[in-house]
Amino acid sequence: MDRIKLFATGLICFCAGGLYGWSALIGPLQAAFDVSTAQTGLVFSVAIVCFTLSVTTGPHLLQQTAPLRRLAIFASGGAVSLLLASMAPTYLSFVVFFSAGFGTFSGAIYISSLGLAAQSSSPLKSTPLMVAAFGIGGAVFGPIWRLLEETDLGLTMLWPLAIALALCAFLAWRMSNGRTTSAQSMAITAGPVRSVQNKTLSLIWLIFAFGSFAGLMVLGLAAKMLETAHASVALSSVTLAGIALGNTLGRISVAGFTKIMRPITSVFIALSIGGVGIILTLLDASSAALAAGMCLIAAGYGILASAIPSLTRAIYGAATFQRRFALIFSAWGVAGFFAPWITGAIFDATGNFDPAVYLALGATVFTALAATVLALRLRHLS
């Protein structure tokens, strides 16, 4: 039964990950409402803020409802939000339905899914795989939306994801036994951990915030960056797929890394791969080099995205995982708000993305320093 529940949970988490395919919607959004690059970046930024707030509050919502039924309710809300966004008459209403609506339900799905994975019989394997399922959603729906853009469907290209969410919600509801679990209650009501671990939490927060900047910049504005580099439609489609695939493979790889190395080591691997990608985009302005660099940045970000919850689970255990990770995840929300918005604003002011890429490089260097401090601290505590 545990595997069946995880399968249903993974399907819903996969659909919620469609949020990561956002950059493919920039063209249709600009065509529909004639908005600037900064405004399109703000759509993703607001979605990330709502996503993060939902992750923080998600463990406390519908506590007396069976886990899969909670997910079914969240998925149904996401499907309705996407349908309303596809019919939005104004830019502001699109932000309300897509960013606030879908972003919020996507976050609730994400934290609930990770909570179930953390309580499974193999948490250090199930948790990064669940994170990967979220990334796979972007790997599938991003390229689909990019191809559908050529068919002049406009924002109605959101319908496939809305339908998929609705079907998964129905499946999860039918598979649920209608009962809550004691493990779920324990994850919500567990008390605080030692103050020494709270200091460690601050370091993890900084690593997640600054380490996510480059990846979220690429995920938020990849299509626009490729367009600026005069990449062809074919190369853009392949690159968006490569970004999503790199992000996904990075997330999945952590499930294997945990068998041979500590989660903190995965953080250093993530920063190394992402750093190489950033440097590659700066060394050569050609569209091919930019595409390759962005794929590496996405891969590094994917590893980091799975390494952080695995690191949190290893340090704090199953009992307080949801509460602690909800706090740590606010770091991702901060980066998610500023990265696409600042990048878009820099482009509007300068006409290119180079200053934003240099900013991402600086954030990565700072993250490496913070990770080194954390690694030394963990060695001392052990």
Side-chain angles (χ1 to χ4, degrees):
M1 181 60 69
D2 185 55
R3 290 185 178 181
I4 295 176
K5 288 182 179 180
L6 286 176
F7 174 75
T9 301
L11 284 178
I12 293 180
C13 196
F14 159 78
C15 291
L19 185 68
Y20 270 16
W22 150 252
S23 66
L25 297 174
I26 291 178
L29 183 66
Q30 289 184 316
F33 304 119
D34 190 26
V35 291
S36 68
T37 303
Q39 286 176 302
T40 60
L42 188 60
V43 171
F44 191 60
S45 295
V46 173
I48 294 306
V49 170
C50 293
F51 184 99
T52 305
L53 291 175
S54 184
V55 167
T56 303
T57 60
H60 306 283
L61 300 175
L62 303 176
Q63 294 184 23
Q64 301 306 314
T65 306
L68 283 182
R69 291 196 173 182
R70 293 175 69 232
L71 285 172
I73 293 171
F74 296 149
S76 298
V80 172
S81 297
L82 287 171
L83 288 175
L84 292 174
S86 71
M87 299 181 286
T90 63
Y91 167 75
L92 179 59
S93 61
F94 181 85
V95 173
V96 170
F97 295 133
F98 183 88
S99 301
F102 181 53
T104 296
F105 285 112
S106 182
I109 290 170
Y110 185 72
I111 188 61
S112 299
S113 300
L114 291 189
L116 280 173
Q119 298 294 339
S120 69
S121 57
S122 302
L124 293 184
K125 178 181 178 181
S126 299
T127 302
L129 288 178
M130 195 62 68
V131 175
F134 189 84
I136 293 174
V140 172
F141 288 102
I144 288 177
W145 286 336
R146 183 65 180 88
L147 293 174
L148 289 177
E149 182 180 354
E150 303 301 314
T151 64
D152 296 324
L153 288 176
L155 295 176
T156 57
M157 65 174 64
L158 291 172
W159 288 9
L161 179 55
I163 294 172
L165 266 175
L167 292 175
C168 289
F170 175 77
L171 176 64
W173 187 276
R174 291 297 301 271
M175 293 177 68
S176 173
N177 58 18
R179 297 192 300 270
T180 57
T181 63
S182 59
Q184 179 193 22
S185 299
M186 179 183 66
I188 294 173
T189 61
V193 297
R194 296 176 302 171
S195 60
V196 65
Q197 291 180 325
N198 289 332
K199 296 177 181 178
T200 300
L201 185 144
S202 298
L203 281 172
I204 301 175
W205 194 97
L206 289 174
I207 291 170
F208 207 9
F210 287 89
S212 298
F213 187 94
L216 290 169
M217 175 186 70
V218 167
L219 290 173
L221 291 165
K224 186 64 178 181
M225 295 173 75
L226 288 165
E227 177 186 335
T228 303
H230 306 292
S232 64
V233 173
L235 180 60
S236 295
S237 298
V238 171
T239 303
L240 289 177
I243 289 172
L245 181 62
N247 182 20
T248 302
L249 291 178
R251 291 163 183 258
I252 293 175
S253 67
V254 177
F257 289 163
T258 55
K259 296 180 179 180
I260 59 176
M261 64 182 67
R262 298 179 301 163
I264 187 62
T265 305
S266 298
V267 171
F268 286 107
I269 293 175
L271 296 175
S272 299
I273 294 175
V276 171
I278 293 173
I279 293 174
L280 182 59
T281 62
L282 291 172
L283 291 179
D284 194 333
S286 69
S287 57
L290 176 64
M294 288 195 295
C295 289
L296 287 176
I297 291 172
Y301 169 74
I303 295 174
L304 184 71
S306 279
I308 293 299
S310 295
L311 181 63
T312 305
R313 173 61 174 77
I315 293 174
Y316 296 104
T320 58
F321 170 77
Q322 283 199 65
R323 293 178 64 249
R324 293 301 169 184
F325 185 66
L327 293 174
I328 291 170
F329 198 80
S330 65
W332 183 86
V334 171
F337 177 79
F338 284 106
W341 181 31
I342 290 177
T343 302
I346 288 175
F347 177 81
D348 288 337
T350 65
N352 65 78
F353 289 101
D354 285 352
V357 177
Y358 279 110
L359 185 61
L361 180 60
T364 300
V365 172
F366 175 82
T367 305
L369 294 176
T372 300
V373 174
L374 177 60
L376 293 175
R377 182 176 183 82
L378 292 177
R379 180 177 298 178
H380 173 72
L381 292 176
S382 62

